[in-house]
C-alpha cells in the first residue's frame, strides 16, 4: 500500500532523472565521484540519505528490496529505511540476499555471493578517500584529476613505519581499474575482495557530501598496499558460535559481566540460512529454530559452554 | 544463551509513542496551538523560516510544535517538506527600497531620510525577568506595562505611525531610501555589483567551490545562526577584521512579484517580512586609486537581526580575494570551511549519526589493536 | 645531449605598474650552475617563481628539453607541468618547512616522490630513503623522526634529499642557506657542491649572498629593479664588475 501523497519511491521524476544521469556518469567512469544535487530527505543527512536517493532512483515496482545495516536486516536504521520504502513504493521486501534485486547496505557486503542483475547500494558518509590527508575539496579534486595519489601511499608508509602494519581496518582505500582511488564506504577491510569482479552493479551514494560513484559489474578493484606488505582481509580468528561458519565476518557479543563473549555472523541472513540447513557452531544446537527468520520464535535453546557464563538457558532480549 | 530477536520495528514504534507523550507533556496543561507559536514565538518561527528556506509562518510554527521546540529539528522538517513542493518558477528580485518598514536603523549617520525607526526591538530593554509574564494565559489580565511596545505588524494589521518619522506608513510607502545609496552617489562606497544572471540554486545543484558571491550568500542565508554569529564575532575580535559599520538595518514587509508568461507581465503573489542588513566596511584603495568603502550584505526571512548582521560580516570577510586583501588564515575568510559547515541540518545529521551502530567497524579496529598490542608485548618479552 | 637544457626568452612579470621581472633571457646547459643575485626587491625571487611554474609570467617562454625536444613550460597543460615538478624538476625552498611535510616522518618525506611515481616496495623505498639521508649526512636512525625534531640545517638537508631522490635534471634553489648559521651554511654549500658535481645537476640558485655564488655558480646574472644588469662567468663578474650596481654589490661585501 503506497502513500498516495508521494510519487513512487518518494522522489519526483525530475529528481530521479537527475540522479540516474549522475549514476550513468559514475558507471561510465568507475570510481570517480560524480557531484549530484542531493535532496533533503525525511531522514537526517548522515543516516543514509545518499543510499536512499540512489535506491529510490533505481527502484521499479517489480523490484524486491533488502535493507541491511551492520550486516543485519534487523538493526533500527535498516528497519526504518525498509519501512520508508514499503510506505512510499510498495515494493516487496525480503531478508534473503538471493531473492533481492536491490540491496541497500550500510557498512557490510553480504556474505552470500551476488549474481548478475542485482544492484548493491552502499551508504557512504565521507566519499573522499583523501579527505583526512587533505581537508580541502578544491585540492583533492585536483589530486584525482591529475592522478596524484602519492600522499595516500605516504600515509600507508607512515602506518608501517609506526605500527609495523597498515593501520586502516575499515574504509580501506582501493584503486579502481588502475585509475581512480576510491573509498569503498566503511566496510571492514575483510569485505574489500568482494568489491572486485562482482557480477552485480555496485552504487555508492553520499547524500550530505552530494556524490555518487559506481563499480560496474566485473570491475577490477585492488586494495592499496605495498609489495612487501600486501593487503590482508582479516577478521576475528574464530568461527561463528551459532552456525559454525569459518569464513564470514563476525560480531563480538559480550554475554556476561565477567567479559565472557561469543562471536556470531554479522550477516544475519547468511547465518540463519546456514542454520536452517543444519550447520551449527559451538553454541548452536540442531533443534534450535532460526529465530531471525519469521515471527514466533520457539523456546530458546539450552546451549552451554565457555564464555556463556551463568546465563545458560536464558533468552537474552536484544533490542537494537 | 544469546539469541538475536526481531525487536527493531517494535522498538521504533514504542519509541515514537513515548516521543508523542513527551511532546504533549503534562495533559493537565493546555495544549499549545500552532497559532500561539506563530504569534507569540515569532522570532523562533522566523529563524525556522530563514534556515528552512521556506516562508510560511504557519508551517514553521507547526514544525516547532512537532519538534518540541528544537529549532534545528524544526528546520529539518521544513526542509524535507520544501523538497517535495513543485517549483513554479522564480520571482523577481524583491525591491527592499520599497519595503514597508517596521524598523530601520543606521549606525553611520545620526539621521537620514526616513529616520531612525526603533521598531519592536529588545535592544534597549533591561534584561530583567518579567515575572508578570508568568501570569499570562488565556484569561489573565494584562500586566501593568502592556501597551507601551507597539504591536508587531503582520500583513493587514493596522499599526501606529513611527514616532520619529513625519509621515506615517500605514498608507503609501515611506520615502526611506537606503543609506548606502547616499554614499554611492558620492562615490564613497563600491557600487553594488549589478547583474541579470539567474543565481544558482543550492537546493538543485551541488555546491561548487570556489563559489560565486551569489552562491555564498545563498549558503549563508540558510546557514546556522549560531555558527555565523561566532564567525562574525571572530572577525570583530581580529580574525579577519573588516571594520564593519551598520549602514542600514531594515525590517519590514516587501512584495513578491512573479512573471506570468501567459499574461506577459509580473503580478504580486504576496508579501513577506524580510530583514536586510548592509554593512559599510574597511575601505580599499591606494595612492593611485581613490579609496572606497566596501560592502557586506545580509538578507533573511522574518525579523532575524542577529542572523542578518552576522551574514553581512561573514559575507564581507569572504570577499577578501576579490577585494585584493590578504588571507590571514582567519576561519571566517576560509570559504570552504565556512560554506561546508554552515548548514546545520547537514551538520547535525552527521554529528548525530555517530549514535548509529558502528560495531562492525569497531570490531575491525578492535582486532587490529589486539594484534598490534600482541606484537608489541611479544617483542618486549623477547627483549627481556 | 646537444643544446641547452633550459632556454628562457623574454620572461616578464608585472604587478600593475610595478615590474617584477622584465625581459629576462638566458640559456642553461646540463651540469651548469647559474646564480641569480641581487638585493631584496631586485626581482630575483619573482624570476625564479616564474621559471619554476609557481607563477604565470605575463610574457615570454621557458623552454625545457623534454624527451620531445624543447617544450614551453609556460603554455604546458597543468597536469604535465605538475608531473614535471615531481620528476625532472626540483625546488628547494628557503624555508625548509615550505618544502617538507612536517607531519610526515623523514623517511616518508624522502620516499614521497618515489611513491608518487609508482614505487610500491616498502623495503626498497626505505632503503632508498636511508641511502639519500646518508648522502645528505643525516643519521639513518632518524628515518622515522618528524622534521619538526630536526635542526634548521638538518631540515634543509632533508629537503634536498626529498627533492633529489627522483634524479631531477634541473634544480631551483631559493636562498637555500638563508637563516642558517655560518658554519651550517658552509657545510650545506659543500654538500650541494658535491651533489651537483656527482649527479651532473643543472641548478638555478637565487641568493643575495655573493659568497654562495662564488662557491657554487659557474655563471652569474645580476638583477636590479627587475632587470638583468650584468651577466657572465662568476669569477669574471665578481673580480671585474662592469656595471655600476655590480661594482656597488661587490664592494659592499665585508672582507673578513
Amino acid at each position: 500500500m503506497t502513500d498516495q501523497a508521494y510519487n513512487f519511491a518518494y522522489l519526483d521524476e525530475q529528481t530521479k532523472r537527475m540522479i540516474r544521469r549522475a549514476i550513468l556518469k559514475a558507471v561510465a567512469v568507475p570510481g570517480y565521484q560524480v557531484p549530484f544535487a542531493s535532496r533533503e530527505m525525511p531522514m537526517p543527512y548522515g543516516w543514509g540519505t545518499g543510499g536512499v536517493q540512489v535506491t529510490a532512483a533505481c527502484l521499479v515496482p517489480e523490484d524486491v528490496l533488502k535493507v541491511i545495516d551492520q550486516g543485519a536486516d534487523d538493526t533500527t536504521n535498516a528497519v526504518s529505511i525498509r519501512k520508508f520504502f514499503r510506505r512510499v513504493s510498495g515494493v516487496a521486501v525480503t531478508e534473503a540476499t538471493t531473492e533481492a534485486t536491490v540491496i541497500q547496505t550500510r557498512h557490510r557486503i553480504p556474505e552470500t555471493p551476488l549474481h548478475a542483475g542485482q544492484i548493491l547500494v552502499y551508504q557512504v558518509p565521507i566519499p573522499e578517500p583523501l579527505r583526512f590527508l587533505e581537508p580541502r575539496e578544491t585540492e583533492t579534486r585536483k589530486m584525482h584529476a591529475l592522478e596524484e595519489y602519492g600522499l595516500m601511499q605516504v600515509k600507508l608508509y607512515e602506518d608501517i613505519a609506526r605500527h609495523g602494519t597498515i593501520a586502516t581496518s575499515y574504509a580501506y582505500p582501493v584503486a579502481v581499474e588502475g585509475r581512480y582511488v576510491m573509498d569503498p564506504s566503511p566496510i571492514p577491510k575483510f569485505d574489500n575482495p568482494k568489491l572486485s569482479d562482482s557480477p552485480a552493479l555496485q552504487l555508492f551514494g553520499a547524500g550530505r557530501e552530494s556524490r555518487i560513484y559506481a563499480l560496474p559489474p566485473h570491475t577490477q578493484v585492488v586494495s592499496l598496499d605495498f609489495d612487501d606488505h600486501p593487503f590482508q582481509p582479516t577478521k576475528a580468528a574464530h568461527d561463528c558460535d551459532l552456525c559454525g561458519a569459518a569464513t564470514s565476518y563476525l560480531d563480538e557479543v559480550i554475554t556476561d559481566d565477567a567479559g565472557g563473549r561469543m562471536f556470531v555472523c554479522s550477516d544475519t541472513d547468511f547465518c540463519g540460512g546456514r542454520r536452517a540447513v543444519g550447520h551449527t557452531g559451538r553454541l548452536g544446537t540442531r533443534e534450535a529454530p532460526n529465530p531471525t527468520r519469521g515471527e514466533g520464535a520457539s523456546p530458546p535453546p539450552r546451549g552451554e559452554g565457555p564464555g556463556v557464563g551463568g546465563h545458560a538457558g536464558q533468552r537474552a532480549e536484544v533490542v537494537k | 544463551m544469546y539469541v538475536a530477536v526481531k525487536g527493531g520495528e517494535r522498538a521504533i514504534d514504542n519509541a515514537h509513542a513515548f516521543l508523542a507523550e513527551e511532546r504533549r507533556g503534562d495533559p493537565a496543561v493546555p495544549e499549545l496551538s500552532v497559532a500561539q507559536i506563530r504569534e507569540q514565538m515569532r522570532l523562533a518561527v522566523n529563524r525556522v523560516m530563514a534556515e528552512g528556506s521556506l516562508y510560511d509562518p504557519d508551517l514553521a510554527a507547526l514544525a516547532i510544535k512537532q519538534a518540541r521546540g528544537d529549532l534545528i529539528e524544526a528546520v529539518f522538517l521544513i526542509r524535507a517538506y520544501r523538497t517535495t513542493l513543485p517549483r513554479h518558477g522564480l520571482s523577481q528580485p524583491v525591491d527592499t527600497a520599497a519595503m514597508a518598514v517596521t524598523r530601520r536603523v543606521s549606525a553611520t549617520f545620526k539621521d537620514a531620510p526616513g529616520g531612525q525607526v526603533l521598531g519592536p526591538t529588545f535592544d534597549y530593554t533591561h534584561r530583567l525577568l518579567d515575572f508578570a509574564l508568568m501570569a499570562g494565559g488565556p484569561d489573565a489580565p494584562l500586566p501593568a506595562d502592556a501597551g507601551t511596545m507597539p504591536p508587531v505588524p503582520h500583513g493587514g494589521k493596522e499599526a501606529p505611525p513611527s514616532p520619529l518619522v513625519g509621515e506615517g506608513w500605514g498608507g503609501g510607502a515611506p520615502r526611506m531610501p537606503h543609506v548606502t545609496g547616499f554614499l554611492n552617489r558620492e562615490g564613497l562606497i563600491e557600487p553594488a555589483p549589478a547583474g541579470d544572471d539567474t543565481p544558482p540554486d543550492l537546493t538543485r545543484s551541488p555546491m561548487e567551490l570556489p563559489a560565486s558571491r551569489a552562491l555564498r550568500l545563498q549558503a549563508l542565508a540558510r546557514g546556522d545562526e549560531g555558527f555565523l554569529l561566532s564567525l562574525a564575532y571572530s572577525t570583530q575580535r581580529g580574525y579577519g577584521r573588516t571594520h564593519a559599520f551598520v549602514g542600514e538595518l531594515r525590517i519590514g514587509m516587501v512584495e513578491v512579484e512573479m512573471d506570468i508568461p501567459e499574461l506577459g507581465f509580473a503580478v504580486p503573489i504576496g508579501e513577506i517580512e524580510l530583514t536586510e542588513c548592509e554593512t559599510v566596511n574597511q575601505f580599499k584603495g591606494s595612492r593611485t586609486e581613490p579609496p572606497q568603502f566596501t560592502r557586506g550584505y545580509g538578507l533573511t526571512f522574518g525579523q532575524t537581526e542577529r542572523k542578518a548582521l552576522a551574514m553581512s560580516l561573514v559575507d564581507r570577510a569572504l570577499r577578501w580575494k576579490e577585494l585584493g586583501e590578504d588571507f590571514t588564515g582567519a576561519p571566517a575568510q576560509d570559504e570552504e570551511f565556512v560554506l561546508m559547515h554552515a548548514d546545520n541540518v547537514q551538520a547535525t545529521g552527521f554529528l548525530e549519526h555517530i549514535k548509529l551502530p558502528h560495531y562492525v567497524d569497531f570490531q575491525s579496529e578492535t582486532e587490529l589493536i589486539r594484534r598490534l598490542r600482541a606484537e608489541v608485548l611479544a617483542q618486549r618479552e623477547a627483549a627481556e | 645531449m646537444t643544446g641547452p637544457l633550459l632556454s628562457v626568452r623574454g620572461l616578464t612579470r608585472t604587478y600593475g605598474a610595478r615590474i617584477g621581472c622584465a625581459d629576462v633571457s638566458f640559456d642553461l646547459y646540463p651540469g651548469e650552475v647559474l646564480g641569480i643575485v641581487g638585493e631584496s626587491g631586485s626581482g630575483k625571487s619573482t624570476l625564479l617563481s616564474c621559471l619554476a611554474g609557481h607563477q604565470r609570467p605575463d610574457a615570454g617562454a621557458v623552454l625545457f628539453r623534454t624527451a620531445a625536444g624543447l617544450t614551453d613550460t609556460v603554455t604546458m597543460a597543468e597536469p604535465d607541468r605538475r608531473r614535471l615538478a615531481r620528476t625532472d624538476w626540483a625546488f628547494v625552498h628557503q624555508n625548509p618547512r615550505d618544502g617538507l611535510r612536517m607531519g610526515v616522518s623523514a623517511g616518508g618525506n624522502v620516499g614521497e616522490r618515489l611513491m608518487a611515481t609508482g614505487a610500491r616496495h616498502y623495503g626498497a623505498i626505505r632503503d632508498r630513503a636511508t641511502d639519500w639521508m646518508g648522502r645528505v649526512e643525516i643519521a639513518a636512525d632518524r628515518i622515522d623522526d618528524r622534521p619538526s625534531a630536526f635542526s634548521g640545517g638538518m631540515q634543509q638537508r632533508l629537503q634536498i634529499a626529498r627533492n633529489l631522490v627522483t634524479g631531477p635534471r634541473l634544480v631551483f634553489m631559493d636562498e637555500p642557506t638563508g637563516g642558517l648559521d655560518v658554519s651550517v651554511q658552509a657545510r650545506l654549500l659543500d654538500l650541494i657542491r658535491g651533489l651537483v658535481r656527482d649527479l651532473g645537476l643543472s641548478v638555478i640558485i637565487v641568493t643575495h649572498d655573493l659568497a654562495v655564488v662564488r662557491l657554487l655558480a659557474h655563471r652569474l646574472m645580476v638583477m636590479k629593479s627587475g632587470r638583468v644588469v650584468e651577466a657572465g662567468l662568476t669569477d669574471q663578474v665578481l673580480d671585474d664588475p662592469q656595471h655600476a650596481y655590480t661594482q656597488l654589490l661587490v664592494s659592499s661585501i665585508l672582507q673578513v
Side-chain angles (χ1 to χ4, degrees):
Chain A
M1 201 86 246
T2 58
D3 204 309
Q4 289 305 308
Y6 297 102
N7 193 31
F8 175 79
Y10 182 76
L11 297 174
D12 59 276
E13 292 303 310
Q14 279 286 56
T15 301
K16 285 193 214 170
R17 216 166 290 149
M18 178 271 297
I19 294 174
R20 286 177 197 140
R21 260 185 246 125
I23 292 175
L24 286 175
K25 277 189 205 156
V27 168
V29 190
Y32 167 70
Q33 301 163 51
V34 179
F36 80 106
S38 182
R39 293 284 184 262
E40 233 102 40
M41 300 294 283
M43 62 282 296
Y45 282 113
W47 295 56
T49 56
V52 167
Q53 287 178 80
V54 169
T55 298
C58 291
L59 278 182
V60 293
E62 299 76 35
D63 270 317
V64 181
L65 177 68
K66 174 178 163 81
V67 183
I68 47 173
D69 183 345
Q70 313 295 292
D73 303 86
D74 196 39
T75 39
T76 35
N77 212 36
V79 168
S80 176
I81 291 174
R82 189 167 56 243
K83 217 170 163 182
F84 171 75
F85 276 119
R86 266 219 307 262
R87 185 175 161 196
V88 300
S89 73
V91 297
V93 296
T94 181
E95 292 182 13
T97 306
T98 47
E99 286 171 23
T101 55
V102 178
I103 301 170
Q104 180 166 330
T105 179
R106 177 169 172 265
H107 296 190
R108 286 265 13 241
I109 300 180
E111 303 287 350
T112 312
L114 302 174
H115 57 256
Q118 286 183 309
I119 302 178
L120 185 59
V121 179
Y122 296 77
Q123 296 176 206
V124 180
I126 306 261
E128 179 50 68
L130 303 165
R131 181 56 66 231
F132 299 113
L133 302 173
E134 174 50 74
R136 294 166 298 168
E137 152 77 5
T138 41
E139 194 48 36
T140 50
R141 225 168 41 213
K142 230 179 249 186
M143 289 160 85
H144 282 292
L146 303 176
E147 220 174 328
E148 284 183 6
Y149 293 127
L151 193 54
M152 185 82 249
Q153 205 68 28
V154 168
K155 190 261 173 198
L156 301 178
Y157 169 95
E158 292 292 288
D159 277 354
I160 299 173
R162 186 171 327 166
H163 302 290
T165 184
I166 295 174
T168 303
S169 67
Y170 60 90
Y172 193 104
V174 296
V176 179
E177 291 286 323
R179 177 54 181 90
Y180 283 96
V181 168
M182 184 189 102
D183 182 323
S185 85
I187 53 177
K189 65 176 184 169
F190 176 78
D191 280 344
N192 274 24
K194 301 187 192 72
L195 294 162
S196 191
D197 199 29
S198 173
L201 170 64
Q202 299 173 82
L203 302 177
F204 298 79
R208 190 182 42 85
E209 299 274 341
S210 310
R211 298 285 185 275
I212 286 174
Y213 47 104
L215 296 173
H218 303 294
T219 299
Q220 184 214 43
V221 178
V222 176
S223 300
L224 301 185
D225 60 9
F226 286 94
D227 298 338
D228 50 340
H229 285 263
F231 170 78
Q232 306 276 16
T234 51
K235 71 170 192 78
H238 296 266
D239 297 343
C240 173
D241 284 329
L242 291 184
C243 79
T247 56
S248 84
Y249 191 82
L250 305 171
D251 293 337
E252 182 174 337
V253 182
I254 303 192
T255 50
D256 59 42
D257 294 351
R261 49 196 193 135
M262 60 187 289
F263 289 85
V264 292
C265 290
S266 136
D267 187 332
T268 51
D269 175 59
F270 179 76
C271 193
R274 279 179 57 85
R275 288 177 15 241
V277 298
H279 293 288
T280 55
R282 186 171 61 98
L283 300 173
T285 59
R286 251 169 220 279
E287 299 85 75
N290 180 1
T292 64
R293 279 178 180 271
E295 309 292 322
S298 15
R302 272 163 297 286
E304 279 172 306
V308 180
H311 294 262
Q314 201 154 357
R315 183 181 176 125
E317 192 108 1
V318 177
V319 178
K320 289 187 238 184
Chain B
M1 167 69 199
Y2 165 81
V3 172
V5 299
K6 253 194 162 74
E9 196 142 353
R10 219 172 65 218
I12 289 181
D13 288 340
N14 286 342
H16 290 169
F18 195 175
L19 178 68
E21 270 180 38
E22 290 294 301
R23 177 191 300 136
R24 179 60 185 85
D26 184 352
V29 174
E31 183 171 350
L32 203 53
S33 76
V34 168
Q36 282 175 316
I37 296 173
R38 186 193 68 227
E39 292 305 305
Q40 297 167 41
M41 302 261 107
R42 190 50 197 246
L43 299 181
V45 166
N46 289 342
R47 179 171 170 188
V48 170
M49 293 197 298
E51 291 172 16
S53 295
L54 189 69
Y55 192 92
D56 189 322
D58 287 303
L59 283 183
L62 169 62
I64 292 170
K65 178 174 177 177
Q66 186 173 334
R68 302 177 60 195
D70 180 338
L71 293 187
I72 294 182
E73 182 66 34
V75 170
F76 186 8
L77 286 167
I78 291 294
R79 293 259 193 100
Y81 180 71
R82 182 188 193 277
T83 268
T84 64
L85 297 174
R87 304 285 176 115
H88 297 300
L90 298 175
S91 73
Q92 306 273 24
V94 295
D95 183 9
T96 52
M99 181 187 281
V101 166
T102 322
R103 171 164 159 71
R104 187 272 204 127
V105 293
S106 171
T108 46
F109 294 97
K110 181 160 180 177
D111 206 349
Q116 305 267 19
V117 183
L118 282 186
T121 173
F122 288 116
D123 283 354
Y124 303 104
T125 62
H126 298 143
R127 271 59 171 196
L128 303 168
L129 281 175
D130 183 355
F131 292 99
L133 288 174
M134 282 188 87
D139 301 306
L142 287 171
D145 58 0
T148 53
M149 298 277 277
V152 179
H154 291 294
K157 262 209 204 159
E158 187 77 87
S162 161
L164 293 175
V165 179
E167 17 193 326
W169 46 266
R175 309 282 300 139
M176 198 180 275
H178 285 87
V179 166
T180 47
F182 296 112
L183 294 171
N184 204 16
R185 232 179 274 161
E186 246 193 279
L188 291 176
I189 193 168
E190 55 166 347
D196 274 329
D197 309 327
T198 308
D201 186 344
L202 252 187
T203 64
R204 292 276 132 174
S205 48
M207 166 116 69
E208 265 183 34
L209 297 168
S212 63
R213 189 166 177 217
L215 194 64
R216 270 189 249 138
L217 286 171
Q218 216 180 102
L220 294 179
R222 282 158 65 87
D224 183 69
E225 182 177 304
F227 182 64
L228 292 185
L229 166 63
S230 297
L231 285 174
Y233 178 45
S234 76
T235 67
Q236 292 179 292
R237 293 194 69 255
Y239 290 82
R241 191 163 179 214
T242 60
H243 296 89
F245 290 90
V246 175
E248 182 94 23
L249 177 69
R250 58 169 62 192
I251 300 170
M253 306 298 281
V254 295
E255 209 165 56
V256 179
E257 291 193 318
M258 196 168 146
D259 251 325
I260 310 289
E262 292 84 350
L263 296 176
F265 53 84
V267 299
I269 58 171
E271 276 188 320
I272 59 174
E273 186 183 42
L274 291 180
T275 302
E276 183 188 44
C277 175
E278 294 189 301
T279 49
V280 179
N281 300 76
Q282 176 69 41
F283 55 83
K284 77 165 183 132
S286 61
R287 234 170 282 152
T288 45
E289 291 189 41
Q292 285 183 316
F293 288 116
T294 53
R295 291 172 183 264
Y297 191 73
L299 187 71
T300 48
F301 283 148
Q303 178 179 10
T304 38
E305 287 178 39
R306 186 181 301 118
K307 173 68 177 288
L309 283 166
M311 192 172 152
S312 301
L313 266 61
V314 175
D315 168 51
R316 175 57 180 83
L318 288 173
R319 293 186 63 215
W320 63 272
K321 201 183 274 185
E322 67 214 51
L323 294 172
E325 292 172 339
D326 290 329
F327 179 65
T328 61
Q333 288 184 306
D334 187 334
E335 177 181 87
E336 190 165 338
F337 180 79
V338 172
L339 297 185
M340 284 311 207
H341 304 115
D343 189 315
N344 53 23
V345 174
Q346 285 187 18
T348 199
F350 199 48
L351 172 67
E352 296 190 66
H353 106 285
I354 64 179
K355 296 181 284 189
L356 286 177
H358 283 77
Y359 54 82
V360 162
D361 291 338
F362 188 70
Q363 184 62 32
S364 292
E365 288 285 84
T366 310
E367 288 306 315
L368 176 66
I369 254 197
R370 282 177 178 147
R371 201 169 349 115
L372 293 178
R373 287 177 60 82
E375 279 170 21
V376 172
L377 292 170
Q379 271 181 23
R380 220 180 260 176
E381 260 170 60
E384 280 156 16
Chain C
M1 173 187 296
T2 53
L5 179 69
L6 188 76
S7 190
V8 179
R9 295 280 167 265
L11 202 63
T12 305
R13 174 78 164 103
T14 52
Y15 302 99
R18 196 165 55 82
I19 297 177
C21 61
D23 206 27
V24 178
S25 303
F26 65 88
D27 287 331
L28 185 74
Y29 285 80
E32 250 197 321
V33 179
L34 173 69
I36 305 177
V37 298
E39 296 176 308
S40 310
S42 58
K44 57 190 197 298
S45 291
T46 304
L47 175 60
L48 194 72
S49 214
C50 289
L51 291 173
H54 294 175
Q55 273 192 60
R56 219 189 147 77
D58 296 310
V62 178
L63 302 158
F64 179 70
R65 188 170 296 280
T66 63
L70 277 178
T71 319
D72 188 3
T73 59
V74 173
T75 53
M76 210 182 236
E78 199 191 349
D80 297 326
R81 199 177 25 247
R82 275 167 86 124
R83 198 171 304 123
L84 202 59
R86 263 183 288 153
T87 52
D88 251 353
W89 283 6
F91 195 105
V92 178
H93 296 260
Q94 177 173 3
N95 188 342
R97 300 181 104 85
D98 294 331
L100 290 172
R101 291 201 192 272
M102 299 308 282
V104 170
S105 70
N109 265 289
V110 178
E112 181 173 354
R113 282 174 80 141
L114 296 172
M115 291 185 258
T117 46
R120 287 292 176 270
H121 193 280
Y122 176 80
I125 293 165
R126 212 166 157 80
D127 288 342
R128 284 280 288 278
T130 308
D131 175 57
W132 266 99
M133 283 170 67
R135 287 207 234 186
V136 299
E137 295 166 25
I138 299 178
D141 63 3
R142 310 228 45 192
I143 189 171
D144 294 324
D145 291 344
R146 298 265 177 88
S148 42
F150 289 7
S151 66
M154 260 174 97
Q155 286 178 358
Q156 196 55 296
R157 281 180 276 136
L158 184 66
Q159 197 200 166
I160 289 170
R162 173 181 160 87
N163 270 283
L164 297 185
V165 72
T166 44
R169 287 185 286 151
L170 177 58
V171 184
F172 300 97
M173 294 196 188
D174 186 6
E175 309 264 16
T177 57
L180 298 174
D181 291 338
V182 176
S183 62
V184 175
Q185 275 189 41
R187 189 176 168 197
L188 186 65
L189 288 174
D190 223 25
L191 178 72
I192 294 175
R193 194 167 60 157
L195 288 170
V196 167
R197 189 189 55 228
D198 294 341
L199 303 172
L201 297 175
S202 306
V203 181
I204 298 178
I205 179 164
V206 154
T207 180
H208 63 271
D209 187 343
L210 295 184
V212 169
V213 292
R214 175 79 82 173
L215 195 58
L216 290 182
H218 301 107
R219 291 195 294 128
L220 198 54
M221 278 182 358
V222 181
M223 288 190 74
K224 180 182 189 298
S225 306
R227 293 182 186 280
V228 178
V229 299
E230 189 162 353
L233 295 177
T234 306
D235 290 341
Q236 274 180 2
V237 173
L238 292 182
D239 294 336
D240 187 20
Q242 298 297 305
H243 193 278
Y245 178 67
T246 318
Q247 291 167 352
L248 181 63
L249 265 188
V250 171
S251 66
S252 306
I253 304 173
L254 289 174
Q255 301 302 328
V256 179

